[in-house]
Amino acid sequence: MSELTPQTDRAQWKSRFGFILAAAGSAVGLGNIWKFPYITGQNGGGLFVLIYLACIVLIGLPIMMAEIMIGRAGQRQPVGAFESIHGRKTAWSGIGWMGVVAGFIILSFYIVVAGWSMDYTLKSIVNFTKPIESKAATEAEVYIATTSISDMKLFLVNKETDRQLHPRKTLLESRLTKSQKENYERFRTAIEKAEDQDQARLRLLKDEELKSSVEAVEKVEQQVAKARLEIAGSVQTKINSLSATDLLAQVKLSKRRDLVFEKMTGTFVNLLTNGWHSLMWAALFMMVAIGVVAGGVAAGIERACRFLMPTLIALIGMMVLYGAFQPGFGAAVSFVFSPDPSRLKASGVLEALGHAFFTLSLGMGAMMTYGSYQSSKTGLLQESVMITLLDTAIALLACLMIFPITFSYGQEPTAGPGLVFMSMPLAFAEIGRTGMLLSMAFFGLLFFAALTSAISLLEVVASYLIDQKNWSRAKAAVTTGLLTLVVAVPTAFSSDSTSVLSNWEGDYGLNFFDTMDHLASNWMLPLGGLFIAIYAGWVMPRRLQEAEVEDMPAWIFQVWLVLVRVVAPALVIIVLMQKVGIFDIDEWL
Ligand code: TRP
């Protein structure tokens, strides 16, 4: 390791603060604003958030410290860092290679979503929700003019019943295991094909396992139906007692929202299914990212982050402030912060762990690369804590920005990946005049967040060519950027029916986009994180390790060592085993 010659010409951050902003910029991204709120919604809020925080502290933070430590000690990006530490070729460089590949893969779908955020920013500037809103208002009036009162009442009763039933239904259904549901699905498909359904049922139910699944699901279905009847009864009484004016007003509001939602969904689906459109934006986004990376570490990345990160925080602050004055704010706060064990499944815990990696940019050497542009040997703990805190704070603020708005405008928190591109525009349309400004702020901040993350992904790949192959920065950035764009083509076209890959989903169950996300986020990052933890805890030369933690209180170092040696690897292995399907944690508990 004595060959570790300080490279005087190697790029450096201008200041520690600049490094923290750039690293936080990498961490804060689509993961925080697009993904975290919707997985929180899907996992019932409260308790999921607590478990996520525990994962961040117990696994995310220690691995973050490990990555920055290795980067600072090796003064190279991940392919070169291990070699430079040991002064010879070592198999640990495999972590770096996997990181380079993961970088390509993540970036290839990341830029597609980032491109959508650009599309929606532009749409907001031309106030795209306004024509949608006024068309919907017209159609709602037509509905009122042409529908009988009793049909309108029926419409309202069904709508309100569904809304009230939703939480109870989710709760009841959460008692079923995945295999029970799968068994039941197969059973239904088979029955529907049969001519004599009663006979088919008898035949299939000879299988004991199938029989118990079917009975369990049917029992839940009966309970749901019973709950539905109860709710419908009281809803009906309430609606019958409404005055004609109130009834018409409610029908109009609810119809208009349905229509706006339909049209918003249509707008998003148009974008999603138009490969060329998505690709065009992805290419434009890539150009911006290439420009920043080509600008250099201090003059490009650090300078961009110094402007983008404070702007991003100011925009989020503004949106949260707006949300605080909305009627749904209380509901949003209690949704995000009050734990309700009945709404979380064990697999939600694993999702929290997986997301901790993605959101902190861990497992593929991004933090290692950024750390390698730092020659300081102090402040490892403070830096890692700052980056982690910023990332976590922004993820929580993103929830407090999105949920008050969606709750106030009658949307479900569980809306899924479309939360940002469908539910939010719907709310913006309802807000009216200010809606346009909010919409611009919201999609603009999504774009900024994506940009500071994308440049870190591009930097990992580009720095390999710069460090190991002596390429010029500009050439490395342009080449890797364009190559990524090629990889992004099938992703951009993954939901386009004209694409060559349109059979992909039918064959594998996930479309190409989701396949890439799945491959990188569920496999490569946890695996990379596992090896990084093991390396930092067990393999890294003690002397180098101690040089990095000299200013750290001894007990913190000891705690870190235990986390990185035992706790983090053990938890990651459990997650990976679940993913391979060795066991299904929901069936166990
Ligand atoms: N952390 C970013 C987000 O939350 C994404 C990201 C940037 C990333 N660089 C990474 C994820 C490196 C994994 C590895 O959106």
Side-chain angles (χ1 to χ4, degrees):
M1 64 128 283
S2 46
E3 294 87 306
L4 217 179
T5 38
Q7 275 186 320
T8 40
D9 57 343
R10 200 162 186 278
Q12 291 279 312
W13 302 107
K14 256 204 347 248
S15 68
R16 188 184 297 277
F17 183 60
F19 162 71
I20 292 176
L21 275 188
S26 165
V28 175
L30 296 171
N32 301 59
I33 296 164
W34 174 63
K35 198 163 180 205
F36 182 65
Y38 88 70
I39 58 176
T40 300
Q42 284 173 338
N43 287 292
L47 190 59
F48 175 79
V49 173
L50 269 182
I51 288 170
Y52 165 79
L53 292 178
C55 292
I56 292 281
V57 174
L58 293 180
I59 300 156
L61 185 60
I63 295 187
M64 164 93 62
M65 288 168 64
E67 278 209 27
I68 299 178
M69 173 188 270
I70 298 170
R72 294 206 313 197
Q75 289 289 300
R76 294 279 191 292
Q77 40 57 54
V79 177
F82 299 95
E83 253 179 70
S84 127
I85 287 177
H86 292 277
R88 58 182 157 77
K89 287 212 177 313
T90 143
W92 290 101
S93 300
I95 298 178
W97 281 112
M98 193 165 70
V100 170
V101 176
F104 260 114
I105 295 178
I106 297 178
L107 199 52
S108 75
F109 66 81
Y110 209 80
I111 60 174
V112 175
V113 183
W116 294 341
S117 76
M118 284 174 94
D119 182 272
Y120 270 76
T121 310
L122 187 70
K123 278 197 180 110
S124 312
I125 295 174
V126 298
N127 208 357
F128 77 117
T129 58
K130 198 159 168 241
I132 291 180
E133 177 75 17
S134 72
K135 238 189 250 154
T138 317
E139 284 172 34
E141 271 163 21
V142 171
Y143 176 81
I144 287 190
T146 57
T147 313
S148 71
I149 292 284
S150 60
D151 280 354
M152 282 195 247
K153 278 190 178 157
L154 195 63
F155 162 77
L156 264 194
V157 170
N158 280 336
K159 249 202 113 62
E160 183 57 22
T161 309
D162 280 341
R163 203 181 62 79
Q164 292 188 18
L165 182 63
H166 187 80
R168 262 175 70 191
K169 189 166 169 230
T170 330
L171 184 60
L172 284 169
E173 284 174 353
S174 72
R175 295 200 193 127
L176 297 169
T177 66
K178 202 160 90 208
S179 64
Q180 281 176 330
K181 285 187 212 157
E182 281 168 4
N183 286 344
Y184 185 71
E185 278 308 309
R186 267 190 280 120
F187 170 74
R188 291 276 359 144
T189 322
I191 292 275
E192 270 152 30
K193 292 250 159 66
E195 258 174 40
D196 184 347
Q197 302 204 338
D198 291 331
Q199 189 206 20
R201 194 185 157 91
L202 280 176
R203 267 194 212 162
L204 287 171
L205 291 188
K206 290 265 186 278
D207 181 318
E208 282 304 319
E209 193 202 331
L210 189 63
K211 188 168 172 213
S212 82
S213 299
V214 170
E215 276 167 0
V217 175
E218 284 178 345
K219 188 163 154 237
V220 166
E221 278 181 350
Q222 279 161 12
Q223 286 166 328
V224 171
K226 196 164 147 249
R228 181 180 188 91
L229 269 180
E230 280 167 26
I231 295 176
S234 74
V235 167
Q236 200 151 25
T237 332
K238 215 178 79 203
I239 285 176
N240 278 331
S241 70
L242 285 178
S243 71
T245 328
D246 287 346
L247 176 73
L248 289 176
Q250 278 199 21
V251 170
K252 193 163 155 187
L253 177 71
S254 173
K255 196 74 202 170
R256 203 191 60 218
R257 273 191 189 159
D258 278 4
L259 288 163
V260 175
F261 187 70
E262 218 171 81
K263 292 176 202 301
M264 269 325 160
T265 316
T267 306
F268 181 58
V269 168
N270 274 343
L271 180 58
L272 188 71
T273 54
N274 190 327
W276 287 109
H277 195 155
S278 293
L279 186 64
M280 190 265 308
W281 282 115
L284 213 64
F285 180 83
M286 195 76 247
M287 299 302 153
V288 181
I290 292 174
V292 176
V293 170
V297 172
I301 301 175
E302 185 171 350
R303 209 166 59 172
C305 291
R306 265 177 190 272
F307 163 70
L308 293 173
M309 290 306 286
T311 315
L312 178 110
I313 293 170
L315 286 173
I316 292 196
M318 205 182 84
M319 300 270 305
V320 173
L321 207 63
Y322 173 84
F325 292 101
Q326 295 303 301
F329 189 69
V333 172
S334 77
F335 179 73
V336 179
F337 293 109
S338 57
D340 173 1
S342 69
R343 299 211 314 247
L344 183 75
K345 287 206 216 170
S347 53
V349 178
L350 304 181
E351 185 156 16
L353 178 59
H355 185 66
F357 275 101
F358 188 83
T359 191
L360 291 174
S361 301
L362 299 177
M364 52 85 61
M367 289 298 164
M368 223 182 271
T369 309
Y370 272 18
S372 76
Y373 299 129
Q374 216 188 15
S375 50
S376 157
K377 295 277 163 230
T378 58
L380 178 66
L381 178 67
Q382 289 87 332
E383 286 171 4
S384 310
V385 168
M386 266 305 279
I387 299 163
T388 307
L389 267 181
L390 268 170
D391 184 75
T392 309
I394 291 183
L396 294 177
L397 282 174
C399 287
L400 290 184
M401 146 173 95
I402 289 175
F403 292 134
I405 296 182
T406 52
F407 275 127
S408 304
Y409 291 93
Q411 293 287 299
E412 292 299 335
T414 50
L419 191 62
V420 156
F421 293 106
M422 296 186 287
S423 308
M424 286 303 276
L426 165 68
F428 295 139
E430 293 275 90
I431 290 168
R433 233 180 263 281
T434 4
M436 174 188 169
L437 276 179
L438 289 171
S439 180
M440 268 160 44
F442 179 74
F443 289 109
L445 81 84
L446 195 59
F447 165 55
F448 286 177
L451 182 60
T452 53
S453 300
I455 55 185
S456 76
L457 286 160
L458 191 58
E459 177 66 22
V460 173
V461 188
S463 69
Y464 162 73
L465 294 171
I466 298 167
D467 275 0
Q468 310 295 109
K469 304 277 168 215
N470 284 321
W471 284 30
S472 78
R473 179 164 273 280
K475 186 174 153 202
V478 172
T479 311
T480 40
L482 291 182
L483 257 175
T484 313
L485 205 53
V486 175
V487 185
V489 172
T491 308
F493 277 87
S494 61
S495 301
D496 188 325
S497 56
T498 65
S499 132
V500 267
L501 287 176
S502 58
N503 284 333
W504 188 283
E505 183 161 3
D507 293 345
Y508 303 103
L510 289 175
N511 69 21
F512 191 74
F513 185 122
D514 298 325
T515 310
M516 293 293 107
D517 181 9
H518 190 85
L519 183 65
S521 317
N522 291 1
W523 289 103
M524 302 176 94
L525 297 183
L527 260 181
L530 173 67
F531 286 123
I532 288 168
I534 292 175
Y535 179 84
W538 300 97
V539 183
M540 188 171 176
R542 200 59 190 231
R543 212 159 55 76
L544 285 182
Q545 190 186 54
E546 275 163 4
E548 297 292 335
V549 297
E550 231 164 26
D551 62 333
M552 205 188 290
W555 70 271
I556 292 193
F557 177 70
Q558 288 308 326
V559 171
W560 174 79
L561 213 52
V562 172
L563 289 174
V564 120
R565 282 186 162 175
V566 188
V567 179
L571 289 173
V572 174
I573 288 174
I574 293 179
V575 172
L576 287 173
M577 270 161 63
Q578 152 98 8
K579 298 235 156 101
V580 193
I582 293 181
F583 62 87
D584 183 337
I585 203 164
D586 284 331
E587 316 254 324
W588 274 20
L589 305 172

